[in-house]
Amino acid sequence: MRRPIALLARQLGDLVHASADADALARPRHAWFIGSRLALGALALAAIPVMLAAGGVPAPAILLVVGCVLQAVTAVFASRTGRLHDAHAASILSACAALALYASVSEGLGSPALAGLALVVLEAPLVGRIRELRFAAALAMGALALVAGAGAGAADARDLMGAFGVHSSVLAFSLGIALLTQREMRARALRERRLTAHNRLLVDGFGDLVTRHDAQGSVFYAGPAAGSVLGVAPGALTGRGLFERVHVADRPLYLMALADAGAGSALSRAQVRVRKGELDPAERASAPVYAWIEVRARRIEGDAEAGEDAEIVCVMRDVSTQRQHEAEIDTARAAAEAAAALKDRFLATVSHELRTPLNAIIGFSEMLADEKLVPSGDARQRDYARIIHVSGEHLLEVVNTLLDMSKIDAGTLTLQPEPFDVARLADAAVEMLRLKAEQSQIDLSAAIQPGLPELVADRRACKQILINLLSNAIKFTPRGGRVRLDVRREGDILVMAVEDTGIGIAAEDLPRLGEPFFQARGSYDRPYEGTGLGLSVVRGLVGLHAGAVQVESVLGKGTRFSVRLGFDCRVKPAPVHGGLREVLAEGSRDRATAASMVTSSKLSVLSDTVKKSA
């Protein structure tokens, strides 16, 4: 049953004049008027053969048939011109005239056809304005008076007045109901217009184009934002207008989005290219301008009781600028990745090519500096050879550090965890640098907690961490200073701390501590060698072990670096809380100490980042 009703409603909608589309409330009035009048005309024409078969058409009935046919004529007039109010006035006039004439030539005030006058008054608010209602009421009373006057000589005056009073009361009652209906409809129309205007303001305020599609995907409504989004009038997008503007390569995606939305209530999204501007056949040879449009489609269920079908509502937004930015970001990312890969290959190649000649330089310079191997050489020759040897070792150390940094950044440095005695490793690192500390007249000591369990980690990496931290501490500590290695256990965490009494780090340098090739500003006034990569390597190696680096420093009084590792670096440890020792300077917190807490968090985060990248 619903299918035929929906089909009939769609066919009546096709008969409505296009001018009624401007007002959503006017369209159903047009449809009702056209449909009801065409139905009356069809019934009158269908009744003629029936009356002929029954014995002929009575003369009075011809008036009713003509009146119904005139109703159909007014419907055609409204459908072709859209002038509903004029057609409605003509319909009222022809209906009242036909009913009055029929009653006059038949039964007078006793004719049941006069009940149609009340129906004319009651129907007036459904189609027209208050003006048409007043016109219908006046014509109905006039028609009733005409019928009463025509039968005045043939009927008793008392009966005539009684019948006229009854019909007048019915018309008055119908007019009252019609006035109440008119007032209610006006209030409802005002509310709907306000709501429609409010919704349109909301939609237009966002600048998005709203379109409504039927079950086949054709557009039957396009919002006013069509001009700002696509540079066309809304009417140019109706029917297949929008589909023809979609790029040929994106049409399957566009249709799929509509189909997915029509199949369910979930929101469907797609980004397609839509041509901007009018489709001028003379300009088809020129390059079209396309905009990237994001389509968001959703199915809206219709009123089944009213025979309305479901529809698809699409909200479209121009995302061309966003797509351009994304493409630029992708291009920049690809260029950065290519540059990073080139840098890694360059460092690896240079490091490998430098190692071989450096090993030869170091080996032969060591032989030339040895009096036993070259006894005939003079003192200056041995001094020169010793300088070459020291310089070569320093350059080899730089090359090895660069290679390690390159592997860490590229994520190609793999760990080989194994259980080992961390106390023995710490002692070995201290002994390796003891001679360097003695030459600089620095007191190097170690405090290792007894009974430490074995550490499961990469032995070579842990040794390099300690050597780098101890070397930095010795390098930046003046003669007569102290460097101390403290290894202890804090719950499930191993803490290896290197503390010195060196020059310290300025507060403004702490945020950049750990960046490659960066050296603290406090070291610029001293002839310290180095590339600034030692702490960067430490940070990377600790990050690969899922550990954390913390730093505390007081300018001019010393620095403390703490490395915190889980005893089994193959297992992700629990979050490390606290652990910063507050450094006080003469009873007041030094400004560098507060900054060091921030730097500690930064180094921890950077270490985790290196871990993830690896």
Side-chain angles (χ1 to χ4, degrees), residues 91-444:
S91 172
I92 294 172
L93 179 60
S94 61
C96 291
L99 292 172
L101 292 175
Y102 176 81
S104 298
V105 299
S106 59
E107 303 177 28
L109 291 177
S111 174
L114 293 178
L117 297 176
L119 295 178
V120 171
V121 175
L122 288 174
E123 193 238 8
L126 301 179
V127 179
R129 302 165 296 188
I130 188 66
R131 184 182 304 172
E132 280 78 23
L133 175 58
R134 294 171 182 171
F135 182 66
L139 282 183
M141 289 300 297
L144 184 62
L146 179 63
V147 175
D156 183 64
R158 184 178 297 177
D159 295 338
L160 182 65
M161 292 300 295
F164 184 80
V166 171
H167 285 295
S168 298
S169 300
V170 172
L171 285 178
F173 182 73
S174 301
L175 179 60
I177 295 177
L179 288 173
L180 292 176
T181 305
Q182 181 77 24
R183 181 181 300 176
E184 178 63 26
M185 292 184 65
R186 287 182 62 186
R188 184 182 302 175
L190 181 60
R191 289 195 300 269
E192 291 183 358
R193 283 194 176 95
R194 288 178 177 175
L195 181 60
T196 301
H198 180 67
N199 293 338
R200 180 168 296 179
L201 285 175
L202 287 177
V203 173
D204 295 345
F206 289 107
D208 295 341
L209 171 61
V210 178
T211 57
R212 298 168 63 186
H213 305 247
D214 58 17
Q216 288 72 37
S218 298
V219 177
F220 63 86
Y221 168 80
S228 59
V229 176
L230 296 177
V232 296
L237 301 180
T238 56
R240 291 175 53 87
L242 177 59
F243 175 77
E244 291 176 354
R245 282 170 170 77
V246 178
H247 195 279
V248 176
D250 296 336
R251 288 179 182 179
L253 187 62
Y254 168 76
L255 294 176
M256 186 179 298
L258 293 181
D260 292 343
S265 59
L267 181 66
S268 178
R269 296 174 179 264
Q271 288 190 1
V272 297
R273 288 163 290 180
V274 182
R275 182 171 181 174
K276 301 184 68 174
E278 299 292 344
L279 296 178
D280 188 359
E283 298 180 358
R284 289 187 181 275
S286 61
V289 178
Y290 287 93
W292 278 102
I293 302 296
E294 182 185 36
V295 180
R296 290 167 290 173
R298 184 184 291 275
R299 175 188 174 96
I300 304 297
E301 298 295 338
D303 188 354
E305 298 296 333
E308 295 180 354
D309 291 337
E311 64 182 49
I312 302 172
V313 177
C314 293
V315 180
M316 303 184 185
R317 175 175 298 178
D318 190 341
V319 292
S320 301
T321 304
Q322 177 183 344
R323 294 274 303 200
Q324 181 180 357
H325 291 168
E326 292 176 354
E328 293 175 353
I329 291 174
D330 292 340
T331 302
R333 182 184 296 112
E337 292 175 353
L342 181 61
K343 178 205 69 174
D344 295 336
R345 290 197 301 269
F346 170 77
L347 289 177
T349 303
V350 170
S351 301
H352 176 75
E353 294 299 327
L354 288 177
R355 275 182 171 182
T356 302
L358 280 175
N359 287 329
I361 293 173
I362 293 172
F364 286 117
S365 61
E366 187 176 0
M367 293 176 59
L368 292 175
D370 193 344
E371 296 182 358
K372 297 180 179 179
L373 296 177
V374 187
S376 59
D378 56 12
R380 286 189 303 172
Q381 177 180 336
R382 285 193 293 271
D383 291 338
Y384 294 157
R386 191 176 299 108
I387 294 173
I388 295 174
H389 181 267
V390 173
S391 300
E393 285 187 335
H394 174 69
L395 185 57
L396 182 60
E397 181 181 354
V398 171
V399 170
N400 290 333
T401 304
L402 286 173
L403 187 58
D404 290 339
M405 279 300 302
S406 176
K407 290 181 178 180
I408 292 174
D409 290 341
T412 58
L413 182 62
T414 57
L415 301 180
Q416 296 180 354
E418 59 178 330
F420 60 89
D421 188 353
V422 66
R424 183 176 301 177
L425 180 71
D427 286 334
V430 171
E431 291 302 321
M432 286 183 62
L433 296 171
R434 188 172 298 281
L435 178 60
K436 182 178 180 180
E438 291 176 354
Q439 291 175 349
S440 302
Q441 298 180 7
I442 294 173
D443 180 18
L444 177 61

